[in-house]
Amino acid sequence: MKTGSEYLESIKSLHPRIFLGGRQVGLLEDPTTLTVVRANARVYDLARDPRYEETMSCTLPGGRRVSRCLYPPRSPRDLEKRAEMAVLTSQMLGTCNYRCVGQDALTALAGTTWEMDRDLGTDYHRRLINHLTWLQDNDLAVSGALTDPKGDRGKRPGQQEDPDVYVHIKEKSADGIVVRGAKVSQSGAIGAHETLVIPTMGMRPGEEGFAVAFAVPNGAPGLTYIAQYTPFTAERQLAPDTKYLGNPLYGQRETCIMVFDDVFIPYDHVFMCGETQYTGRLVGRFAKTHRMNCGGACKTGFADLVIGAAAQMAEYTGIQKVPHIIEKITDMIRISETCHACTVAAALKGREEPAGAGYYLPDDVFGNVAKLTVADGFWDIMKWAGDIGGGMAVTMPSELELENPETGEYVRKFMKAAAPAELRLRMAKFLQNWCAGLHGAGTWHGAGSPQAQKMVLYALTDLDAKKKLARDLAGIVD
Ligand SMILES: Cc1cc2nc3c(=O)[nH]c(=O)nc-3n(C[C@H](O)[C@H](O)[C@H](O)COP(=O)(O)OP(=O)(O)OC[C@H]3O[C@@H](n4cnc5c(N)ncnc54)[C@H](O)[C@@H]3O)c2cc1C
C-alpha cells in the first residue's frame, strides 16, 4: 500500500482541468484543492500506521494486504470494520475520507455485475474484478459519482429539455462508449486517481442510455471539474497562515461538478451499458452501504470532534461543572452514540447480497435509521455546541489581532476566561467551522436527502405484522 508521500508523488502526473472561483487552478497549487490532497495523503498514512492497520486495511485470500477503501466487504465483520474506518477517518480529518463514495460504489457494483453476468451472460464482473485488482495493486484513490444534476425533478431523464442533465451514452463503438453529461457534488474527485460512475436512480425501459456505469481516470480528455466555492474557500485564499482557520489542514468537505463533454470510456472500464432492470438494484445496494458509512458512521466521527470542542470550550469558559452544560453534552453523546449503534447493528445484521455472490451489504432498516437519526441529530449536536461555545463562536475577532500591537492587549484581556484568549479563540474558530459552517446541510443531503430514507424505511416496515400484534394483544379477533 502507498504511503501519503507516495500518493503525493503519484498525483503529480495527473492534470485535472479544475476551475475554482472563476479561474483555472492547479491541483497542487491552490490552497483549497490542497486540502483534498492532504486529506487523501493522511488516509494513505493511516492505513500504514500499525495502530490503525486493522481498521484501514484488510488481507486478501492470498495473504496480501490492501486498503479497505478498495475492498468490497465479504462478511458482517468486514462491514463493521468498514464502518469503523469511516468513524476513524472523520475523527482524524474533520472532513471526508474522499475514497468513501468510491468504495461504496465498488461494493454495489461487485454484487450487481456478478448478478448481471449470471443472468445475462455478460462480462461485467470479470472486467470489474480485473480493474479492482489493478486498483489494489497500485493502491489508487477512487471517488464515487452518482448524483446527476437531474434538471426538473418532476420529469424522467428522457423527458428533460436537455438530456445532458443525466450522464448518458452518446455513442457506442467497437472499442468503447462516449459519455456525456455531468455529476454534481462530487467529493474529492479532483484529487482521486479515478472516479467510479454509476446511475443516480433506477432507470426504466426506454432509458437504456442512462443505465451506464464505468471508471474514468482523473484528467481524461473531455473531463472538467468545477469546484465548489464558499466563504471558507475565500477565507482560505486570504488567510496568511492556515493555522487561523477552523480546520487548518483539511478544511471543508470539498466537492465539484464533473462535466463529461464526450468522454471516451474503453469497454474494459464499462460495468453496465443499458441494462435498465439492474439500475434500481445497483443504486439500492449503494444506498444500503453508503447510508451506514457516510450517513451514520462518518458523522459519529464528526460528532466526536464537535462534542470534544464543546467540552473543551466549557472548560476554557469555566462552566464545565454546571448541570445544564453536563446535560447538554450528555444529550450530544446520546444522539451520536445512537447513530453509532445503528451503524454497528446495520453491519452485524448485514447479509450476503445477492445470495451466492460472496459480497455483503448492511441491514437496510438500521442503515436508514442511522442516516435519519444523524440528519436531525447533527443539527441538535451543533445547536448544543453553539450554546456551550457562547456567542464568541460567531462574534470572535481574528486571531491575527493577537499579533497586532494596537489590539493585541485588548483581545488578550477581554477574550480571556478560565483559559487564555489564545486558546479560546482557536477553539471557538474550530467550533465556527461546524456550527456556523457547511456541515449541517452537508450532513442532511450527503448519502441522500432524508425523504429518500423515510420512503425506504416505510416501505421496508411490515406494518400489517405490527397491526396484527396490536390486535392480538388487544383481544380483537381477526
Ligand atoms: C457534502 C456533500 C457531499 C456529497 N458527495 C457526493 C459524492 O461524492 N458523490 C455523489 O454522487 N454525490 C454526492 N453528494 C450528493 C448527494 O447525494 C445529494 O446532495 C443528494 O442525493 C440530494 O440530491 P440533490 O443535492 O440533487 O438534492 P435535490 O434533488 O435538489 O433535493 C432537494 C429537495 O427536493 C426533494 N426532491 C428531489 N427530487 C424529488 C422527487 N422526485 N420527488 C420528491 N422530492 C424530491 C428532496 O427530497 C429534497 O428535499 C454530496 C452531497 C453533499 C451535500
Side-chain angles (χ1 to χ4, degrees), residues 398-414:
S398 164
E399 216 181 307
L400 281 168
E401 300 292 2
L402 295 171
E403 294 157 30
N404 180 348
E406 297 195 53
T407 52
E409 280 316 301
Y410 293 146
V411 172
R412 254 181 212 97
K413 180 180 160 86
F414 295 119

Side-chain angles (χ1 to χ4, degrees), residues 96 101 144-150 153-154 183-188 253 255 441-452:
C96 286
V101 190
L146 277 88
T147 311
D148 292 290
K150 300 190 290 275
R153 301 324 192 240
K183 293 282 183 182
V184 297
S185 305
Q186 294 308 301
S187 298
R253 298 172 65 188
T255 72
T443 296
W444 188 261
H445 288 293
S449 311
Q451 197 54 34

Side-chain angles (χ1 to χ4, degrees), residues 171-190:
E171 277 168 39
K172 285 185 190 175
S173 68
D175 312 325
I177 57 174
V178 173
V179 292
R180 208 173 160 71
K183 293 282 183 182
V184 297
S185 305
Q186 294 308 301
S187 298
I190 52 173

Side-chain angles (χ1 to χ4, degrees), residues 104-116:
D104 290 342
L106 193 59
T107 299
L109 270 173
T112 309
T113 52
W114 180 90
E115 198 176 33
M116 285 195 283

Side-chain angles (χ1 to χ4, degrees), residues 71-152:
Y71 181 73
R74 288 187 163 274
S75 68
R77 179 82 182 130
D78 280 345
L79 288 169
E80 193 193 2
K81 286 279 168 202
R82 167 67 183 94
E84 236 177 70
M85 172 168 78
V87 177
L88 176 73
T89 51
S90 288
Q91 289 171 335
M92 296 290 146
L93 301 171
T95 185
C96 286
N97 167 5
Y98 291 111
R99 299 168 76 182
C100 168
V101 190
Q103 205 264 355
D104 290 342
L106 193 59
T107 299
L109 270 173
T112 309
T113 52
W114 180 90
E115 198 176 33
M116 285 195 283
D117 285 7
R118 181 197 62 189
D119 299 350
L120 310 174
T122 48
D123 189 29
Y124 296 128
H125 193 59
R126 186 198 58 82
R127 288 182 198 171
L128 184 78
I129 297 304
N130 281 349
H131 189 61
L132 176 59
T133 306
W134 176 76
L135 292 172
Q136 290 169 336
D137 287 347
N138 295 284
D139 197 11
L140 298 185
V142 180
S143 69
L146 277 88
T147 311
D148 292 290
K150 300 190 290 275
D152 181 340

Side-chain angles (χ1 to χ4, degrees), residues 196 321 375:
L196 209 46
K321 297 210 169 104

Side-chain angles (χ1 to χ4, degrees), residues 310-376:
Q312 192 58 71
M313 274 306 267
E315 264 177 44
Y316 288 169
T317 319
I319 51 171
Q320 72 274 29
K321 297 210 169 104
V322 174
H324 80 91
I325 299 294
I326 293 174
E327 191 189 325
K328 284 165 184 164
I329 290 179
T330 310
D331 218 29
M332 293 159 83
I333 299 168
R334 172 188 61 77
I335 297 165
S336 169
E337 294 307 340
T338 303
C339 177
H340 192 187
C342 288
T343 66
V344 175
L348 296 183
K349 292 256 178 198
R351 283 178 293 275
E352 189 186 43
E353 185 182 331
Y359 301 109
Y360 276 66
L361 292 173
D363 179 81
D364 216 4
V365 170
F366 287 121
N368 275 284
V369 174
K371 161 77 218 258
L372 276 174
T373 303
V374 88
D376 278 322

